[in-house]
Amino acid sequence: MKMNPVSVPNDLVFGILTHLPVKSLLRFRCVCKSWRSMISDPLFVEAHQSRSASALLISFPDMRDPDRKRTLFCINEGEAHRIPGFSHWNISQSVNGLICIYGQYSPKQSHRVRVCNPSTREHVTLPPPFFSDPDLFFQCNSLGFDPSTKTYKILRGWMADSWGPKYEIFTLGSDAWRIIKDAPEALLDTRGICLNGTIYWTKARAIEIDYSRVVMQNSMIAFHVGEEKFRWVPLPPAAPVWTSDTSSMIQIGGHIVIVDYQEVAKSISDVMIMWKLEDSLNGVWSQKRIMLPECWMQGYPGLGPFCVTSIDGGEITLIPNHLFRDWYVVHCNLEEESPRREVLSGLPQNDWNVPYPSIYCSEVSEYAESLVSLKEICRH
């Protein structure tokens, strides 16, 4: 071997390494200086991220903890792996492998907002927010990414007995929160999804028709991460009134999608309706009806209520809100429209002396491993 050394082209090494999991790559940075430089290169990080398989992040509340801290699990191909070191309260939608964790209802935790990379175990604690109130009773944080400047931002909305709603924003790498003006009068209390530099929320709001009638109307709000401005997106008239038990907002193939499953959840129909946002500026939507097989009601009893997410462009995943002893999810192929049940292993047993542990939509997030370095982001 010394007489005939083997030389592997760098581009071939680059391609091979981009297929490996983050855990292995973190170890391989110690192989040599050239590998360390390659794995840390932004081009490699981006190439690796584009090839990372999608998984799910699910958190479970610990009923024995007075603060209801949750344990975070990553689920991939039916196997659940606990992610240590991230006892948290709520998680934002994952953006490029990063998530935001925060306390939602507890005033004493209202200042603790962190951004984490579960793959590398990196995390940063953000400075105390601009707005603070001892009477805070609800807050929601959304993580956004501006692809034009490669900038990550956290948008925080909160309410208190004496205030609200208020909005502020923090840019990773800066040192202070900033107030957002011209913000919505309603609190964006649902999970935001960041897509192509814009964060979207769907919300039902009360509209006063006259002095005696108030109706609920759909609304979608978009926040441009780069311009830091809100705008309203028109929704189709037939779209469902938003509730977390009968509808979900997800992203599929680079589009925002609203899934209406209120009749499926009530076991009175086997049809789910999907509304795909084709044109965000003009509010153009397309509709797709998914006819679930007749065996759906018989094969998956007690599925509803549930939440819906997407792991890739070809499947949506249905996750029951209430699980007993058998942990499982149901995958539905959008082309074949055929569901398959996947049993999950490695999740905690129901030993909390409660009828069942609960999963809520805000605790489920699509996720892909990433080498994005918080240390590098905060250094600039």
Side-chain angles (χ1 to χ4, degrees):
M1 293 294 293
K2 292 183 180 180
M3 297 293 295
N4 299 287
V6 178
S7 177
V8 181
N10 286 335
D11 57 345
L12 181 57
V13 175
F14 185 101
I16 293 173
L17 292 181
T18 56
H19 287 85
L20 298 181
V22 168
K23 184 177 180 180
S24 299
L25 292 173
L26 295 179
R27 292 166 50 208
F28 291 167
R29 290 186 302 182
C30 300
V31 170
C32 59
K33 291 183 179 180
S34 62
W35 277 33
R36 184 179 185 85
S37 177
M38 178 186 296
I39 294 172
S40 302
D41 189 284
L43 293 177
F44 181 90
V45 173
E46 187 174 344
H48 176 268
Q49 184 178 320
S50 67
R51 296 177 178 177
S52 294
S54 296
L56 287 177
L57 285 181
I58 296 183
S59 61
F60 293 87
D62 187 346
M63 297 301 180
R64 296 164 297 188
D65 191 303
D67 291 327
R68 295 294 189 267
K69 291 183 181 179
R70 299 185 176 103
T71 303
L72 191 63
F73 288 85
C74 180
I75 298 176
N76 191 9
E77 297 183 352
E79 294 287 335
H81 302 279
R82 182 179 178 274
I83 301 178
F86 290 99
S87 295
H88 63 289
W89 294 265
N90 285 76
I91 61 175
S92 72
Q93 188 74 15
S94 174
V95 179
N96 296 337
L98 303 182
I99 60 172
C100 178
I101 63 175
Y102 59 97
Q104 188 178 55
Y105 296 100
S106 175
K108 66 180 181 180
Q109 303 296 346
S110 62
H111 301 311
R112 297 187 60 183
V113 180
R114 294 179 179 177
V115 177
C116 311
N117 184 333
S119 300
T120 63
R121 304 293 194 268
E122 276 188 310
H123 66 88
V124 293
T125 300
L126 307 188
F130 185 89
F131 289 114
S132 177
D133 194 302
D135 296 327
L136 179 143
F137 65 87
F138 186 90
Q139 72 164 325
C140 189
N141 291 266
S142 297
L143 181 61
F145 176 70
D146 179 11
S148 63
T149 60
K150 308 294 184 182
T151 302
Y152 292 88
K153 299 180 181 181
I154 297 88
L155 180 68
R156 176 181 184 250
W158 69 279
M159 291 186 68
D161 290 335
S162 55
W163 294 87
K166 299 291 184 181
Y167 290 91
E168 53 191 322
I169 194 166
F170 185 89
T171 302
L172 279 185
S174 67
D175 56 5
W177 294 80
R178 293 174 286 110
I179 301 173
I180 294 291
K181 298 181 180 180
D182 300 323
E185 295 180 359
L187 184 66
L188 304 176
D189 54 355
T190 57
R191 174 75 64 85
I193 293 181
C194 185
L195 185 63
N196 300 325
T198 300
I199 308 176
Y200 295 88
W201 298 265
T202 306
K203 186 177 180 63
R205 56 176 177 167
I207 303 295
E208 185 175 344
I209 303 300
D210 51 40
Y211 291 106
S212 60
R213 290 190 302 161
V214 175
V215 298
M216 299 302 294
Q217 186 181 79
N218 282 333
S219 62
M220 173 171 279
I221 303 175
F223 178 78
H224 193 283
V225 179
E227 297 177 358
E228 299 184 1
K229 292 183 178 180
F230 288 95
R231 62 182 173 86
W232 296 94
V233 179
L235 287 180
V241 175
W242 175 262
T243 67
S244 59
D245 289 336
T246 60
S247 53
S248 293
M249 182 178 65
I250 60 178
Q251 57 174 318
I252 298 179
H255 292 272
I256 292 293
V257 173
I258 296 176
V259 185
D260 174 17
Y261 45 87
Q262 53 184 328
E263 294 188 352
V264 176
K266 296 176 183 177
S267 300
I268 60 177
S269 174
D270 53 4
V271 176
M272 288 196 305
I273 302 177
M274 296 177 56
W275 299 90
K276 182 168 71 173
L277 183 58
E278 303 285 359
D279 184 344
S280 173
L281 294 179
N282 298 307
V284 178
W285 297 78
S286 63
Q287 185 193 87
K288 178 180 177 64
R289 298 172 65 87
I290 301 179
M291 181 72 71
L292 299 174
E294 188 175 340
C295 64
W296 177 266
M297 302 299 177
Q298 301 174 356
Y300 311 112
L303 181 65
F306 55 91
C307 62
V308 176
T309 187
S310 173
I311 293 185
D312 55 47
E315 282 191 339
I316 59 176
T317 301
L318 285 67
I319 306 171
N321 278 10
H322 305 312
L323 296 178
F324 292 84
R325 296 180 179 177
D326 297 326
W327 304 105
Y328 69 91
V329 296
V330 178
H331 303 287
C332 183
N333 188 287
L334 296 179
E335 297 298 328
E336 301 175 359
E337 298 184 359
S338 57
R340 59 183 177 87
R341 188 175 188 268
E342 181 180 42
V343 178
L344 307 179
S345 61
L347 290 173
Q349 298 297 316
N350 185 358
D351 58 354
W352 298 323
N353 296 320
V354 294
Y356 48 77
S358 298
I359 303 174
Y360 300 100
C361 298
S362 62
E363 298 170 14
V364 180
S365 175
E366 180 185 359
Y367 176 74
E369 281 196 336
S370 170
L371 285 163
V372 173
S373 172
L374 287 169
K375 183 182 298 184
E376 290 297 321
I377 293 173
C378 295
R379 182 179 297 172
H380 299 294

